[in-house]
Amino acid sequence: MDKKYFYGSVLFLMLILLLAGCGGNTNEQAETDSESNNASQSEEQNTDKKENNGGDKEVAQFTEAESEASETEKDTEEVSSEDTNNQDADSTSESEEEDPLSAYSAKQIEYARVWLELGPNQDIDELNVHHIPAGSLINPNDETSATYPEDVIQLAGSRLVDGSVTYSGNGDGTINVYNVPLRWDSSDAEVDEDFMKEYTEKIIEETELVKIDPGNDEEIIKLIDIMKIHK
């Protein structure tokens, strides 16, 4: 056999074996790289799941904490509201205890104060209150009498000697006092036909403005207790 042919055949065979080895290494390397990539992806997915799970837990914890805070705030508001209501009730109770006149109306207190200030007799067993509307005759027994230009109040005791007070209120602690007798005496003497008209008109013209003092609470309550208001 020719030596050149022999050596050429051996060289060719070695080249084939070398190429086959390289191809195997390449496949093994590819498989190794593939497995490495798969492992890396799996690890990343696990990490993402853990992070997502951790995030969900944090959201759940935050929501729970927020709910507890809201409940606590609601309870605090309810307690605060109850305290405020209790304080208002206590304040009202204390105010009523401090003001003995709080149980009576403003009109009742006014009538009693006017009588304490101007009543001719303070030793009375009954205080009568009469409402007289505007347009009523000042002397109801005489048709020639002038009439009241406004609504008035007449306070009087149960006896003639107790006297009376006829007035209108101004709503500012002052009153307009009409000097009107409790009873009009009749006379047989002849008088001018315009006498009563002129006399009663003078009463209106000479109305006196009087400031009423608050008076003593105990005395006011005593008068209210014996007060009779007539419609």
Side-chain angles (χ1 to χ4, degrees):
M1 177 181 294
D2 190 356
K3 292 180 178 181
K4 291 182 180 181
Y5 177 77
F6 174 78
Y7 288 127
S9 298
V10 172
L11 182 61
F12 179 73
L13 181 59
M14 292 176 64
L15 181 61
I16 290 173
L17 292 174
L18 180 61
L19 292 173
C22 290
N25 291 335
T26 301
N27 291 334
E28 291 177 358
Q29 181 65 34
E31 291 177 357
T32 302
D33 293 342
S34 176
E35 292 176 355
S36 177
N37 290 335
N38 290 336
S40 177
Q41 292 177 357
S42 177
E43 184 178 353
E44 290 178 356
Q45 291 176 354
N46 291 334
T47 302
D48 292 340
K49 289 181 179 179
K50 291 180 179 180
E51 291 178 351
N52 290 334
N53 291 335
D56 293 340
K57 290 180 179 179
E58 290 179 356
V59 171
Q61 291 174 353
F62 175 77
T63 304
E64 183 178 356
E66 186 179 29
S67 177
E68 291 177 354
S70 177
E71 290 296 330
T72 301
E73 182 178 356
K74 182 179 179 181
D75 293 341
T76 302
E77 290 177 353
E78 291 178 353
V79 172
S80 177
S81 178
E82 291 177 358
D83 291 341
T84 300
N85 292 336
N86 291 335
Q87 290 176 358
D88 291 342
D90 292 341
S91 177
T92 301
S93 178
E94 291 177 359
S95 177
E96 291 178 352
E97 291 178 358
E98 292 175 0
D99 185 6
L101 300 180
S102 61
Y104 306 100
S105 70
K107 286 297 184 180
Q108 288 176 310
I109 297 171
E110 175 189 302
Y111 304 148
R113 284 174 174 170
V114 170
W115 187 262
L116 284 174
E117 182 81 15
L118 302 173
N121 182 17
Q122 295 298 315
D123 186 17
I124 58 177
D125 54 14
E126 187 175 286
L127 179 60
N128 294 285
V129 181
H130 297 274
H131 294 264
I132 303 175
S136 299
L137 293 171
I138 293 178
N139 181 356
N141 301 323
D142 195 322
E143 293 294 333
T144 64
S145 168
T147 60
Y148 288 106
E150 58 184 343
D151 295 342
V152 298
I153 302 295
Q154 187 180 73
L155 306 177
S158 59
R159 301 167 298 178
L160 186 62
V161 294
D162 295 333
S164 66
V165 179
T166 304
Y167 75 96
S168 66
N170 296 316
D172 59 357
T174 64
I175 62 174
N176 304 312
V177 180
Y178 293 79
N179 187 22
V180 178
L182 177 60
R183 188 176 69 180
W184 295 85
D185 294 328
S186 59
S187 175
D188 294 333
E190 293 185 2
V191 294
D192 187 84
E193 61 181 8
D194 294 331
F195 169 78
M196 185 56 63
K197 179 181 179 181
E198 294 175 354
Y199 180 77
T200 51
E201 285 178 347
K202 188 176 181 180
I203 291 176
I204 296 174
E205 293 172 0
E206 296 180 351
T207 299
E208 183 181 2
L209 180 67
V210 178
K211 181 177 177 59
I212 301 300
D213 293 332
N216 180 274
D217 291 346
E218 292 183 1
E219 295 298 326
I220 289 173
I221 293 173
K222 287 180 181 179
L223 285 173
I224 292 177
D225 289 340
I226 60 173
M227 189 179 293
K228 290 186 177 181
I229 299 177
H230 304 270
K231 301 296 183 181

